[in-house]
């Protein structure tokens, strides 16, 4: 696997990154182990939706360190990426960016950026920038999987099952199992499990399960909530000679 396909496979392990780079590309071009501690009480779906709605109204920004672990089931091979994600609320939309660390600990330029209505995928190794266009409503629905999304948006796009309350790294979370409602996403994921802090609308863990049996397990730590995010992280620095592809 080389070029764009390899980059997409790696990024597909990310928060909503998987959904953004697959479901949005489709739109533009045509129970797991929790690792957490169980807590008493199972909230109702309405309670979860209301808590997320309230948290989304207060959400302004977030930064987090991530670990994305893509497991290929057939060969039992892991592809692990680490780095930093950024989210910043701009009016009615949320901008996002991701720095993906390369082998040897060298930080890559912003590999993925969404700002408004355009999703950008930058591949510095081959000097190519790919622009995907999609409506803000589409993107907002997928961002609801972990950073600043409302309960209403989550419920509108996914069949939600509340699994219970747990604690991860001392943070109370609600475990939700999600099945996609749209055919494009159904072809990509059979279901997604998230462990979300409903007081901040931030996921600490996500597991994406593909029809092939491959899984992507994503964890987030060192979360900086509603702190200033430098706008420069949402602007890609392209190397001279970079080609641009519009989808």
């Amino acid at each position: 696997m080389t070029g764009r396909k390899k980059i997409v496979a790696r990024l597909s392990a990310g928060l909503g990154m998987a959904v953004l780079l697959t479901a949005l590309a489709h739109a533009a071009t045509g129970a797991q182990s929790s690792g957490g501690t169980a807590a008493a009480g199972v909230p109702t779906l309405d309670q979860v939706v209301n808590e997320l709605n309230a948290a989304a109204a207060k959400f302004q920004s977030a930064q987090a360190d991530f670990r994305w672990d893509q497991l290929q089931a057939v060969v039992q091979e892991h592809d692990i990426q680490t780095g930093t994600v950024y989210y910043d609320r701009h009016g009615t939309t949320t901008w996002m960016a991701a720095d993906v660390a390369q082998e040897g600990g060298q930080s890559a330029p912003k590999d993925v950026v969404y700002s408004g209505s355009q999703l950008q995928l930058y591949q510095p190794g081959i000097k190519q920038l790919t622009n995907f266009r999609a409506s803000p409503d589409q993107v907002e629905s997928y961002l609801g999987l972990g950073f600043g999304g409302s309960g209403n948006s989550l419920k509108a796009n996914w069949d939600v099952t509340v699994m219970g309350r747990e604690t991860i790294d001392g943070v109370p979370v609600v475990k939700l199992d999600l099945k996609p409602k749209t055919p494009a996403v159904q072809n990509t994921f059979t279901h997604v499990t998230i462990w979300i802090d409903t007081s901040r609308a931030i996921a600490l863990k996500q597991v994406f399960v593909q029809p092939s049996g491959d899984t992507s397990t994503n964890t987030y730590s060192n979360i900086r909530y509603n702190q200033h995010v430098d706008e420069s992280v949402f602007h890609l620095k392209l190397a001279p000679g970079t080609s641009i592809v519009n989808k």
Side-chain angles (χ1 to χ4, degrees):
M1 185 181 298
T2 59
R4 176 178 178 273
K5 290 183 179 179
K6 184 173 182 180
I7 295 295
V8 170
R10 289 184 173 184
L11 290 177
S12 71
L15 142 264
M17 219 70 75
V19 184
L20 287 168
L21 287 175
T22 52
L24 288 185
H26 280 300
T29 61
Q32 300 291 329
S33 173
S34 71
T37 302
V42 178
T44 66
L45 178 56
D46 285 343
Q47 286 176 319
V48 172
V49 168
N50 290 336
E51 289 174 11
L52 287 174
N53 285 342
K58 296 182 292 184
F59 182 92
Q60 294 299 319
S61 67
Q63 303 172 59
D65 299 334
F66 65 76
R67 184 179 187 272
W68 299 340
D69 182 354
Q70 175 91 21
L71 172 64
Q72 296 183 38
V74 174
V75 295
Q76 287 294 295
E77 181 177 299
H78 291 264
D79 182 7
I80 297 174
Q81 298 284 290
T82 60
T84 305
V85 291
Y86 309 87
Y87 293 84
D88 199 28
R89 182 66 53 79
H90 283 250
T92 59
T93 64
T94 300
W95 290 13
M96 61 80 63
D99 278 324
V100 181
Q102 295 179 326
E103 185 177 354
Q106 297 299 314
S107 179
K110 281 42 172 192
D111 291 291
V112 182
V113 169
Y114 170 74
S115 55
S117 62
Q118 184 169 259
L119 179 72
Q120 297 180 296
L121 170 64
Y122 178 42
Q123 299 164 257
I126 62 173
K127 292 187 177 182
Q128 179 172 303
L129 172 68
T130 304
N131 296 318
F132 299 92
R133 297 201 66 83
S135 73
D137 287 344
Q138 288 174 309
V139 177
E140 291 297 313
S141 68
Y142 298 121
L143 290 177
L145 288 175
F147 287 82
S150 71
N152 289 340
S153 177
L154 191 70
K155 189 175 177 180
N157 292 280
W158 305 83
D159 289 322
V160 183
T161 300
V162 181
M163 306 297 289
R165 294 190 186 274
E166 298 186 5
T167 301
I168 294 180
D169 295 332
V171 178
V173 294
V174 176
K175 180 181 178 182
L176 304 176
D177 195 70
L178 314 173
K179 293 185 178 179
K181 292 184 176 181
T182 61
V185 184
Q186 289 169 356
N187 292 334
T188 307
F189 305 112
T190 58
H191 68 105
V192 180
T193 305
I194 64 174
W195 289 257
I196 191 163
D197 174 1
T198 56
S199 69
R200 297 182 294 177
I202 291 178
L204 274 68
K205 182 176 179 179
Q206 305 153 323
V207 176
F208 296 88
V209 182
Q210 302 173 27
S212 64
D214 292 354
T215 61
S216 300
T217 300
N218 318 314
T219 55
Y220 300 89
S221 61
N222 190 24
I223 296 168
R224 286 81 81 194
Y225 170 71
N226 279 355
Q227 297 181 19
H228 173 71
V229 177
D230 194 322
E231 193 165 314
S232 65
V233 303
F234 301 105
H235 300 284
L236 292 164
K237 296 179 181 179
L238 305 181
T242 295
S243 62
I244 299 177
V245 177
N246 295 310
K247 295 288 188 177

